[in-house]
Amino acid sequence: MSLWFALSPLIVLTFGGLGLMMADAFSKTRSDLALGSFLTFTSAGLFALALWIMGGVPAAVMLKVAPYIVLDKFTLFFTATICLGGAISSLLAGGYLPEHDIDRGEFYALMILAAIGAVLLAAAGDFLSLFIGLETMSLGVYCMTGFRRTNPRSAEGALKYFLLGSFAAALMLYGGALIYGATGSTSIEGIRTALTSGEFGTLRDPSRLATVVIAMVLVLVGLAFKISAVPFHMWTPDAYQGAPTPATAFMSVVVKAAAVATMMRVLLVAFGDKASSSWSSGWPPVIAGMAVLTMLVANFIALRQENVKRMLAYSSIAHAGYLLVGMVAAWGQGNEIVAGEGRAALLFYMLQYTVTQAGAFGALILCGSKGKEAVTYEDLAGLGRRHPGAALPFALFIISLAGVPPTAGFFGKLYLFRAAVDGGFTWLAIIGLLNSALGAYYYLRVLVFLYMKEPAPGAAQATPMKSGYIYGALAIAAALVLYFGILPGKALEMAASAGKSLGAKIEVREVPTKMPDTATAALP
Amino acid sequence: MNAIPIPAFLVVAGIIFGIGAFGFLVRRNVLVALMSIELMLNAINLTFVAFNRAYPHNHTGHVFAFFVIAIAAAEAAVGLALVLSFFRLRKTVRSDEGDLLKN
């Protein structure tokens, strides 16, 4: 297998993004660009799937770009997930942007270029490529957030996101610099070797140990910010509300997927040694505490929201909490079987969350048209009777977010909490379950307004928009939500195999055919 | 030439990073916040380059510093554009006056 083929998802995205930027200058109708963007994401995702079906990238090819880009099955899984999220978001943009008179072609190029950063972030096996990926992704997303240039909310959301995002990136980078100082390496594999072997005396020398601990805290803060875990979530509702809705969908799925991938790689591989990943002296209790805090705070604030988009933003934070529960399960107290189950559950949760959340934002777009947007719960009142076709997809994604069978969200939560229980974190699973019940309250409130309430006389009513792109995006998302909800076996199997490949040593099995000259010369 | 030991550089870098972080958290002027972030990134560069002296067998730290410089430039470009668009709409560069979005 050639290196070109192994890197094909990234190459397709790069040329697609640059090509769309060129096409923007020449095309008359912007909606062609949405289709082009969709096709770019789809083909990149299909290339990743093709690599997967061929049994993954051979070690000899992987070594050519290691450690900067790690092309294991874990990366391929996340590449496919990111491309899926991107494909749905670009179709949503194809309907949303013309409707709201912000139909400019840069949006699609920005989206694809940000997705390149996301794929690079998921694939990064070195702090250098990790940081480049992080910034490529973030800069694109900041621009997408501020895309409604005449809207003060959009500008404000983008500014807040940018300031806090760069601050968190700087903290994380300082952590990377300290790690480099303590271990002499910036690669994930090298850090792990230095921390486990103690070759550099990392764990014996108190000043080095202190440096590693500070670095770990700084890196954790940076990652927690990107997946929007409490207490680093302040930017999330503002950025999500201010951004154009397709950008919100993109942020809530693609950015989160890439951040979860990095978090797994950094915590489970780089800091996966016995001391850093023990309950008494390492990161697991911090992650568990953050998970509890994230779920509780996000769900309680979500209860009080009147704005549906903001409610979905808090719901996205709450899901970051569930993902952190999965993170603790993926650690599994160092027990490999439990950890394997945890990783599979976490990856499956990420996959189902991608289609569900992108679909929910898509349904919100569908329910409103220019001047008659669906902003608050009141706007949705009676929509189920007036426009059943628009209300039905919304209901489907909402019950999947709440975790009701037969939708993808149910199996996502089931596997996640089961993995947590098997890992000995029954208390964490119980808190997670209670929070799901709390979440069901505000999710169901959407259904109540859709189907059981009538709009107050004279109140503004949301009118659904008409767009083939939105219908297409919702059809894809709904089909996948039902598919993962009825037949989760295949996806779970893939998630398990992807989780297993994380952190596996890249080795070429072939025996060298010829002894090196120096070795023969040394013989008597 | 080797008169100044590595920890001296690290302390300076740490202080600059601290000033940057403090300035970011305390000042409400967005432009000052941007400058504080630049300060933090430059402190990181100094840390990388200083640490590279302890590991002279390769240039990891040096190369890292170059990438950080490039990324800081890109970040400043996007950041200033966002500040500009915020200023056009709100006629202010103070972050506490961005109060349209809240619970």
Side-chain angles (χ1 to χ4, degrees), chain A residues 135 156 162 170 181 184 310 314, chain B residues 44 55 71 75 79 89 98 100 103:
Chain A
E135 285 295 324
E156 185 186 320
F162 169 80
R310 222 171 154 84
Y314 278 106
Chain B
I44 291 162
Y55 306 103
I71 287 169
E75 212 175 67
L89 296 166
L100 291 174
N103 288 321

Side-chain angles (χ1 to χ4, degrees), chain A residues 439-505:
Chain A
Y441 174 78
Y442 59 82
Y443 291 131
L444 292 180
R445 209 168 143 213
V446 173
L447 294 188
V448 168
F449 271 94
L450 280 177
Y451 288 105
M452 293 169 200
K453 291 244 167 140
E454 283 304 315
Q461 295 182 0
T463 315
M465 62 180 292
K466 292 189 175 62
S467 159
Y469 287 112
I470 307 261
Y471 298 149
L474 291 182
I476 293 171
L480 285 173
V481 162
L482 289 174
Y483 173 68
F484 293 142
I486 295 166
L487 299 164
K490 184 76 194 148
L492 191 71
E493 203 178 289
M494 285 176 84
S497 143
K500 208 192 256 171
S501 79
L502 173 66
K505 204 138 192 78

Side-chain angles (χ1 to χ4, degrees), chain A residues 128 132 135 149-150 152-153 156 160 162-163 166-167 170 174 177 180-181 184 186 208 238 241 305 310 314, chain B residues 14 17 24 34 40 44 47-48 51-52 55 60-61 64 67 71 75 79 89-90 98-103:
Chain A
L128 183 60
I132 296 170
E135 285 295 324
R149 274 186 307 201
T150 50
R153 285 193 172 77
E156 185 186 320
K160 285 180 179 169
F162 169 80
L163 286 175
S166 336
F167 184 67
Y174 195 51
Y180 170 60
T186 54
R208 275 185 205 257
D238 293 351
Q241 191 189 345
Q305 299 303 315
R310 222 171 154 84
Y314 278 106
Chain B
F17 189 85
F24 178 86
L34 266 178
M40 290 164 77
I44 291 162
T47 315
F48 267 116
F51 271 137
N52 205 149
Y55 306 103
T60 312
F64 219 119
F67 275 99
I71 287 169
E75 212 175 67
L89 296 166
R90 305 293 307 277
D99 51 4
L100 291 174
L101 298 163
K102 56 177 124 177
N103 288 321

Side-chain angles (χ1 to χ4, degrees), chain A residues 7-57:
Chain A
L7 288 173
S8 54
L10 273 171
I11 294 173
V12 167
L13 285 178
T14 310
F15 282 100
L18 297 178
L20 279 180
M21 220 166 353
M22 284 300 290
D24 178 36
F26 297 108
S27 89
K28 292 209 176 60
T29 51
R30 295 288 174 270
S31 50
D32 302 347
L33 296 178
L35 199 61
S37 166
F38 172 72
L39 289 177
T40 306
F41 276 119
T42 318
S43 42
L46 287 179
F47 269 113
L49 274 184
L51 283 167
W52 179 288
I53 289 165
M54 290 170 69
V57 180

Side-chain angles (χ1 to χ4, degrees), chain A residues 166-250:
Chain A
S166 336
F167 184 67
L171 288 182
M172 188 164 156
L173 194 57
Y174 195 51
L178 293 180
I179 276 280
Y180 170 60
T183 64
S185 173
T186 54
S187 80
I188 303 283
E189 202 57 54
I191 292 167
R192 180 182 183 121
T193 315
L195 290 182
T196 37
S197 69
E199 189 190 335
F200 299 92
T202 308
L203 301 174
R204 280 189 290 274
D205 182 352
S207 71
R208 275 185 205 257
L209 182 62
T211 315
V212 169
V213 170
I214 295 172
M216 199 156 73
V217 171
L218 289 171
V219 170
L220 255 179
V221 170
L223 290 173
F225 178 89
K226 281 290 158 201
I227 69 160
S228 62
V230 175
F232 309 104
H233 68 290
M234 296 81 70
W235 60 277
T236 315
D238 293 351
Y240 280 24
Q241 191 189 345
T245 315
T248 315
F250 185 82

Side-chain angles (χ1 to χ4, degrees), chain A residues 135 139 142 162, chain B residues 38 67-80:
Chain A
E135 285 295 324
L139 291 179
Y142 301 146
F162 169 80
Chain B
E38 291 296 313
F67 275 99
V68 174
I69 292 170
I71 287 169
E75 212 175 67
V78 171
L80 287 174

Side-chain angles (χ1 to χ4, degrees), chain A residues 29-357:
Chain A
T29 51
R30 295 288 174 270
S31 50
D32 302 347
L33 296 178
L35 199 61
S37 166
F38 172 72
L39 289 177
T40 306
F41 276 119
T42 318
S43 42
L46 287 179
F47 269 113
L49 274 184
L51 283 167
W52 179 288
I53 289 165
M54 290 170 69
V57 180
V61 181
M62 271 164 82
L63 279 175
K64 286 182 190 163
V65 283
Y68 298 103
I69 298 177
V70 185
L71 293 166
D72 51 10
K73 282 192 162 183
F74 181 77
T75 302
L76 293 179
F77 185 89
F78 272 101
T79 308
T81 310
I82 288 167
C83 290
L84 181 62
I88 296 174
S89 308
S90 52
L91 283 184
L92 293 179
Y96 180 91
L97 298 184
E99 175 78 22
H100 295 266
D101 296 333
I102 39 170
D103 198 10
R104 296 196 307 277
E106 308 90 278
F107 193 85
Y108 304 103
L110 279 174
M111 193 185 270
I112 294 178
L113 296 177
I116 296 172
V119 172
L120 188 60
L121 188 55
D126 190 291
F127 267 93
L128 183 60
S129 45
L130 193 156
F131 187 63
I132 296 170
L134 181 77
E135 285 295 324
T136 311
M137 176 183 81
S138 304
L139 291 179
V141 176
Y142 301 146
C143 297
M144 282 162 66
T145 309
F147 201 74
R148 292 190 292 172
R149 274 186 307 201
T150 50
N151 182 315
R153 285 193 172 77
S154 183
E156 185 186 320
L159 193 61
K160 285 180 179 169
Y161 188 17
F162 169 80
L163 286 175
L164 291 172
S166 336
F167 184 67
L171 288 182
M172 188 164 156
L173 194 57
Y174 195 51
L178 293 180
I179 276 280
Y180 170 60
T183 64
S185 173
T186 54
S187 80
I188 303 283
E189 202 57 54
I191 292 167
R192 180 182 183 121
T193 315
L195 290 182
T196 37
S197 69
E199 189 190 335
F200 299 92
T202 308
L203 301 174
R204 280 189 290 274
D205 182 352
S207 71
R208 275 185 205 257
L209 182 62
T211 315
V212 169
V213 170
I214 295 172
M216 199 156 73
V217 171
L218 289 171
V219 170
L220 255 179
V221 170
L223 290 173
F225 178 89
K226 281 290 158 201
I227 69 160
S228 62
V230 175
F232 309 104
H233 68 290
M234 296 81 70
W235 60 277
T236 315
D238 293 351
Y240 280 24
Q241 191 189 345
T245 315
T248 315
F250 185 82
M251 274 196 272
S252 66
V253 299
V254 169
V255 173
K256 197 160 286 191
V260 164
T262 319
M263 192 171 228
M264 286 181 79
R265 216 186 272 282
V266 168
L267 292 185
L268 297 176
V269 184
F271 295 124
D273 62 297
K274 282 220 166 54
S276 323
S277 67
S278 72
W279 187 261
S280 52
S281 65
W283 53 264
V286 182
I287 295 284
M290 213 163 8
V292 173
L293 205 62
T294 306
M295 289 187 290
L296 282 174
V297 171
N299 279 322
F300 271 109
I301 303 183
L303 285 178
R304 308 194 281 111
Q305 299 303 315
E306 282 307 316
N307 184 315
V308 180
K309 203 169 166 187
R310 222 171 154 84
M311 180 278 280
L312 284 175
Y314 278 106
S315 128
S316 152
I317 303 176
H319 280 84
Y322 304 133
L323 287 166
L324 287 176
V325 172
M327 193 67 217
V328 176
W331 162 62
Q333 309 199 337
N335 178 335
E336 270 193 26
I337 298 166
V338 175
E341 193 195 337
R343 287 177 184 188
L346 178 51
L347 292 182
F348 180 78
Y349 197 88
M350 197 59 239
L351 181 62
Q352 69 81 14
Y353 169 79
T354 300
V355 284
T356 307
Q357 185 81 0

